[in-house]
Amino acid sequence: MTVHDRIVAEPFSLQRRNPAGGTKPLTAWGFANETDVLTDVLLGSPNFLRHLSTSSLSRKHLREAPCNVQIAQAQHKDLVAAYEHFGVNIHWHEPTPELPMQVYSRDSSVMTPYGAFITAMANWWRRGENYAAIRTYEKLGIPIYDMVTAGTFEGGDFNVIEDGVVLIGCGGARTQEEGARQVQAWFDKEGWETRIAFIDEYYVHIDLMVVPIAEKLTAVCLACTEPGIVDWLKGKGHEIIDVPFQDTMALGCNFMSLGKDRVIAPTSSQSLIGQLKARGFEVAAVDMSEISKTGGGIHCMAQALKREPA
């Protein structure tokens, strides 16, 4: 199905959410979970990338060894090549010099089964990404489910664990409780099971420490994830692959599942890669060591637009 066909199938609107719940899922876009087969992804260009003080992690690298932007841009090309290798259709935000962090396309919006919702960025120099995201979705013909208005909220804190179950991160600095509660209320009305994970702001977003790999298989940094969250996952029948703390702080738990036992992961995450390969997964390992100095990893740099059951 071409983008034109999808636009015909799903006309663009700025607020598709039914306030009473029961919003009808899209047919041309969206997904039920983060582990089905990825067919379409939204990326942001690193053409105008700058290393800014967006989090404790990026500030640490600014002090010690700032990002070499040219190397970072080359690493992002390798990431794009990995998606192309797996046959994923790539869609792009329009790059502009006013948006130096747009490469992190996970943050400014969140795709859902019902359309995309627009987040509310915490850093003032990133708030323009929210407006640019609306333009991108209009161009693609993807309806807007709703927009976060109650407080800051960023896309790395919306973690679909399985069909109809979402783990919402709240660190206070990048995602405020007011924003998290607003998003939680939307999905409660849609009949989802929702859980808010209150995390230390040092860890930025929940997808630094918890990311689904495949059905009932989830990567978790046990050293920094609340035991209650781990027990909750295990209670749902999830097997846990532990990602060591040092690897997690290097964005080693921030990977992208493509479905059908395929994953794109950073080369530095050797423990995770080894465990996945031992289970028969195909892993495309990409060196992200330089670009990740600016504050995010592979999962942060991608917004899944459509997934299909295997």
Side-chain angles (χ1 to χ4, degrees), residues 43 75-85 90 92:
L43 302 181
Q75 290 178 347
H76 193 267
K77 286 183 179 179
D78 292 339
L79 177 61
V80 172
Y83 284 110
E84 291 173 340
H85 167 73
I90 299 173
W92 293 91

Side-chain angles (χ1 to χ4, degrees), residues 136-147:
T136 299
Y137 288 117
E138 182 179 24
K139 178 179 67 176
L140 293 173
I142 298 176
I144 303 300
Y145 175 70
D146 211 328
M147 304 182 194

Side-chain angles (χ1 to χ4, degrees), residues 30-38 111-113 159-165 192 212-215 257 259 304 306-310:
F31 52 86
N33 57 62
E34 289 272 12
T35 58
D36 277 345
V37 177
L38 182 67
M111 192 62 185
T112 78
N159 205 336
V160 181
I161 298 301
E162 56 185 55
D163 293 25
V165 179
W192 287 42
I213 304 168
E215 185 176 1
S257 171
K306 185 171 178 61
R307 292 181 182 268
E308 296 178 345

Side-chain angles (χ1 to χ4, degrees):
M1 181 181 285
T2 67
V3 169
H4 173 74
D5 292 336
R6 288 172 172 174
I7 291 173
V8 172
E10 310 285 1
F12 180 76
S13 65
L14 282 172
Q15 188 177 33
R16 190 173 184 271
R17 183 176 69 87
N18 183 343
T23 307
K24 184 179 178 182
L26 302 176
T27 56
W29 300 97
F31 52 86
N33 57 62
E34 289 272 12
T35 58
D36 277 345
V37 177
L38 182 67
T39 64
D40 292 78
V41 71
L42 176 61
L43 302 181
S45 169
N47 286 0
F48 300 106
L49 179 67
R50 285 189 286 143
H51 190 169
L52 300 174
S53 180
T54 58
S55 68
S56 56
L57 297 176
S58 63
R59 285 193 291 273
K60 177 179 183 294
H61 291 296
L62 271 173
R63 291 192 303 269
E64 299 174 358
C67 172
N68 182 312
V69 172
Q70 287 184 323
I71 294 176
Q73 290 168 335
Q75 290 178 347
H76 193 267
K77 286 183 179 179
D78 292 339
L79 177 61
V80 172
Y83 284 110
E84 291 173 340
H85 167 73
F86 288 114
V88 179
N89 299 312
I90 299 173
H91 307 271
W92 293 91
H93 286 301
E94 183 69 29
T96 65
E98 296 82 10
L99 302 176
M101 303 298 291
Q102 198 176 29
V103 68
Y104 295 112
S105 58
R106 173 78 48 172
D107 289 338
S108 58
S109 64
V110 173
M111 192 62 185
T112 78
Y114 319 109
F117 73 80
I118 304 301
T119 64
M121 304 290 281
N123 299 133
W124 67 262
W125 57 84
R126 297 197 64 188
R127 290 173 189 159
E129 294 176 40
N130 292 132
Y131 310 125
I134 296 172
R135 291 174 178 161
T136 299
Y137 288 117
E138 182 179 24
K139 178 179 67 176
L140 293 173
I142 298 176
I144 303 300
Y145 175 70
D146 211 328
M147 304 182 194
V148 179
T149 56
T152 63
F153 187 92
E154 298 186 351
D157 280 319
F158 191 87
N159 205 336
V160 181
I161 298 301
E162 56 185 55
D163 293 25
V165 179
V166 63
L167 180 63
I168 298 170
C170 180
R174 300 282 289 273
T175 290
Q176 297 171 321
E177 183 173 353
E178 294 83 354
R181 294 290 186 194
Q182 183 180 27
V183 172
Q184 181 184 38
W186 293 343
F187 287 86
D188 283 344
K189 288 184 177 179
E190 300 293 358
W192 287 42
E193 179 184 349
T194 63
R195 178 165 182 150
I196 293 183
F198 291 96
I199 62 175
D200 191 286
E201 66 180 66
Y202 176 75
Y203 301 117
V204 189
H205 295 137
I206 192 65
D207 70 347
L208 178 135
M209 62 184 76
V210 178
V211 174
I213 304 168
E215 185 176 1
K216 300 296 184 181
L217 181 65
T218 302
V220 179
C221 176
L222 295 177
C224 62
T225 303
E226 288 284 345
I229 299 298
V230 178
D231 291 342
W232 177 69
L233 290 168
K234 289 181 177 179
K236 294 184 174 303
H238 284 242
E239 185 178 356
I240 303 299
I241 291 183
D242 183 25
V243 180
F245 181 79
Q246 186 172 358
D247 289 0
T248 298
M249 290 301 98
L251 287 309
C253 195
N254 195 270
F255 57 88
M256 194 71 171
S257 171
L258 306 183
K260 294 176 68 174
D261 294 344
R262 302 169 303 158
V263 168
I264 303 176
T267 54
S268 62
S269 195
Q270 287 299 304
S271 175
L272 175 65
I273 291 172
Q275 292 182 76
L276 291 178
K277 286 186 174 180
R279 293 167 178 265
F281 279 74
E282 181 180 358
V283 181
V286 181
D287 182 6
M288 306 299 289
S289 57
E290 202 64 30
I291 194 168
S292 285
K293 289 180 178 180
T294 61
I298 290 171
H299 196 260
C300 301
M301 297 179 199
Q303 185 66 245
L305 294 180
K306 185 171 178 61
R307 292 181 182 268
E308 296 178 345

